[in-house]
Amino acid sequence: MTVELACMFPVLTLVAVVVFTSMAFLSECAAFDPAARDAILMQVDDGYEGGVSSSEVAARISAATGIPPSCVQVSADRMWNGHVVYTAGFDFRLSSYGLPAPSSVFGVAIPPLHHEIEFEISPYRKGIVI
């Protein structure tokens, strides 16, 4: 029985870390998507100013979700037809949230996870997502 436990302990530990990390990541994704949508729609009412609008949207998302500002990225690009495409994303590492998280478990590296969403906004009808 001791030999089986010694063989299974690293595997069970790795599975537990993966499950915990994935559940925390899915929780952050569920909070990020509506917060990003609301922040982008609020920015559309203020107007498009390139880099300034991206930093304001990132700050609003960070304040609404509690995701550290260093992990949130937002970019805004104007398309040929006048539409503005906002791309918002965040990098997820448990260590960024102050949780004890190793970078590897028994030699298996745990990479950071990335989530990204994209909205295309029409300038002709304020606040309409395409």
Side-chain angles (χ1 to χ4, degrees), residues 27-36 58-68 72 90 97:
S27 171
E28 290 297 321
C29 289
F32 180 81
D33 289 347
R60 287 178 183 157
I61 293 171
S62 179
T65 60
I67 296 174
V72 178
F90 73 98
Y97 296 86

Side-chain angles (χ1 to χ4, degrees), residues 17 20-21 92-105 110:
V17 168
F20 179 75
T21 303
F92 181 80
R93 289 183 194 88
L94 285 176
S95 59
S96 299
Y97 296 86
L99 298 173
S103 61
S104 67
V105 176
I110 301 173

Side-chain angles (χ1 to χ4, degrees), residues 27 29 58 68 75 87 101 108 114:
S27 171
C29 289
S75 65
T87 305
V108 178
H114 183 75

Side-chain angles (χ1 to χ4, degrees), residues 6-64:
C7 291
M8 289 302 297
F9 182 72
V11 174
L12 292 176
T13 303
L14 182 62
V15 169
V17 168
V18 168
V19 167
F20 179 75
T21 303
S22 63
M23 294 302 288
F25 177 66
L26 291 175
S27 171
E28 290 297 321
C29 289
F32 180 81
D33 289 347
R37 183 191 66 234
D38 293 342
I40 290 170
L41 291 177
M42 285 174 51
Q43 186 61 39
V44 169
D45 290 339
D46 292 345
Y48 172 77
E49 294 133 13
V52 174
S53 64
S54 297
S55 62
E56 288 177 2
V57 171
R60 287 178 183 157
I61 293 171
S62 179

